[in-house]
């Protein structure tokens, strides 16, 4: 299992396609930040925009490459014939997919904070330390999403189908997130991401003799214990469930 994981790590580090795509996604996140941020600072942009949607597509691409490409070139077949157990083959690829994708896409979520703060300043809409904690917590629902995509990959055995599903998930993420209706839902990864990136807000206005009606917005970004515990425990439970369900399917697969 360790040898398989080392091999996967080497392949990922030397995959020109993945490296280039990741750089493109960093540039895309930076561009979106620049286009959506004004003089109010990047905190105002983060308060009104979801930064987890593009990273979901990157997560699907990474999982598809690590797990799905093995079915195209029959690597899994060769590993079985060379004496590796199905358990080691599945969990090596699944764990590497979950760990690598969740870490890399979580890093992507920090790009708007860094780029926006450097160019526009942070602003005063949200507390920076709260946003950092919330972004770090995103690693758990991202890992849960990756574990689910691992199962789908071992079922469909096609990396391009997984990449396409990531695009669908990215487009549908905003719609599904809005369906939460502001609820505190940690049991579905997309809802959990929406929960982490949503802030209780209120607004008021004042009359200015020159500007007319001037609106003021305020947000509460406090990280509650229920948010942390719900995110961590729900994610761990679902990751374990997805991985063992995926292994139960893979151990009986004929690997055609």
């Amino acid at each position: 299992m360790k040898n398989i994981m080392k091999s996967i790590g080497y392949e990922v580090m030397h995959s020109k396609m993945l490296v280039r795509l990741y750089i493109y996604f960093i540039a895309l996140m930076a561009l979106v930040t620049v286009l959506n941020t004004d003089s109010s600072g990047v905190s105002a942009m983060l308060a009104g925009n979801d930064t987890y949607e593009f990273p979901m597509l990157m997560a699907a691409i990474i999982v598809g490459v690590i797990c799905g490409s093995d079915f195209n070139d029959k690597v899994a077949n060769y590993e079985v014939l060379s004496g590796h157990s199905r358990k080691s083959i599945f969990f090596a690829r699944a764990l590497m997919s979950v760990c690598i994708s969740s870490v890399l896409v979580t890093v992507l979520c920090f790009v708007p904070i860094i780029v926006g703060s450097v160019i526009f300043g942070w602003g005063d809409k949200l507390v920076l330390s709260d946003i950092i904690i919330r972004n770090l917590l995103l690693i758990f629902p991202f890992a849960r999403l990756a574990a689910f995509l691992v199962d789908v990959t071992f079922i469909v055995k096609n990396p391009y189908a997984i990449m396409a599903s990531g695009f669908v998930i990215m487009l549908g993420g905003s719609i599904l997130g809005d369906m939460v209706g502001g609820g505190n839902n940690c049991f579905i990864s997309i809802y959990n991401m929406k929960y982490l990136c949503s802030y209780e807000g209120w607004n008021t206005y004042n009359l200015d003799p020159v500007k007319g009606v001037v609106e003021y917005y305020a947000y509460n970004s406090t990280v509650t214990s229920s948010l942390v515990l719900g995110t961590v425990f729900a994610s761990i439970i679902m990751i374990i469930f997805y991985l063992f369900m995926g292994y139960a399917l893979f151990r009986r697969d004929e690997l055609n």
Side-chain angles (χ1 to χ4, degrees):
M1 181 171 173
K2 289 182 180 179
N3 291 334
I4 298 176
M5 295 177 74
K6 288 180 180 179
S7 176
I8 294 171
Y10 179 85
E11 291 174 2
V12 170
M13 290 293 293
H14 292 79
S15 173
K16 293 182 179 180
M17 184 193 75
L18 276 182
V19 172
R20 289 172 181 171
L21 278 175
Y22 193 70
I23 294 174
Y24 291 153
F25 269 82
I26 292 176
L28 179 62
M29 296 290 287
L31 178 62
V32 170
T33 302
V34 172
L35 294 178
N36 288 277
T37 308
D38 55 25
S39 58
S40 300
V42 70
S43 61
M45 187 279 289
L46 293 174
N49 293 274
D50 296 325
T51 58
Y52 60 83
E53 292 176 353
F54 284 121
M56 287 193 294
L57 174 56
M58 189 67 216
I61 293 173
I62 295 172
V63 172
V65 169
I66 294 178
C67 291
S69 58
D70 299 329
F71 293 105
N72 281 351
D73 53 25
K74 304 299 181 180
V75 169
N77 302 55
Y78 301 148
E79 289 172 343
V80 171
L81 293 175
S82 62
H84 293 285
S85 67
R86 293 204 177 202
K87 183 177 181 181
S88 63
I89 294 171
F90 175 81
F91 282 105
R93 277 172 167 65
L95 292 176
M96 289 297 286
S97 295
V98 171
C99 294
I100 292 175
S101 62
S102 60
V103 170
L104 290 181
V105 299
T106 301
V107 171
L108 283 178
C109 293
F110 280 92
V111 172
I113 297 176
I114 297 172
V115 173
S117 297
V118 170
I119 299 177
F120 301 97
W122 175 250
D124 58 0
K125 301 300 182 182
L126 302 170
V127 179
L128 178 58
S129 59
D130 292 343
I131 304 308
I132 291 176
I133 295 173
R134 285 173 177 264
N135 272 22
L136 289 174
L137 286 171
L138 281 172
I139 195 172
F140 291 99
F142 276 134
R144 193 191 325 172
L145 176 63
F148 170 75
L149 291 172
V150 166
D151 286 1
V152 178
T153 304
F154 276 91
I155 293 173
V156 301
K157 300 183 178 65
N158 189 315
Y160 304 108
I162 299 305
M163 296 176 190
S165 70
F167 186 73
V168 173
I169 292 172
M170 182 193 70
L171 292 179
S174 178
I175 299 174
L176 290 174
D178 292 338
M179 290 173 61
V180 180
N184 302 338
N185 194 316
C186 291
F187 293 97
I188 301 177
S189 58
I190 297 177
Y191 288 4
N192 199 169
M193 295 174 198
K194 180 70 175 178
Y195 184 19
L196 287 168
C197 295
S198 298
Y199 314 97
E200 181 181 352
W202 59 92
N203 69 296
T204 186
Y205 67 91
N206 196 5
L207 298 177
D208 186 275
V210 178
K211 299 180 180 180
V213 177
V214 180
E215 294 188 348
Y216 299 94
Y217 295 88
Y219 299 91
N220 178 17
S221 60
T222 302
V223 181
T224 63
S225 58
S226 61
L227 174 61
V228 175
L229 295 176
T231 297
V232 173
F233 285 112
S235 296
I236 291 175
I237 292 172
M238 293 308 299
I239 289 170
I240 294 173
F241 171 75
Y242 285 139
L243 293 184
F244 279 94
M245 182 177 68
Y247 171 62
L249 295 172
F250 178 67
R251 66 183 296 187
R252 294 176 175 84
D253 199 303
E254 296 181 357
L255 294 179
N256 293 325

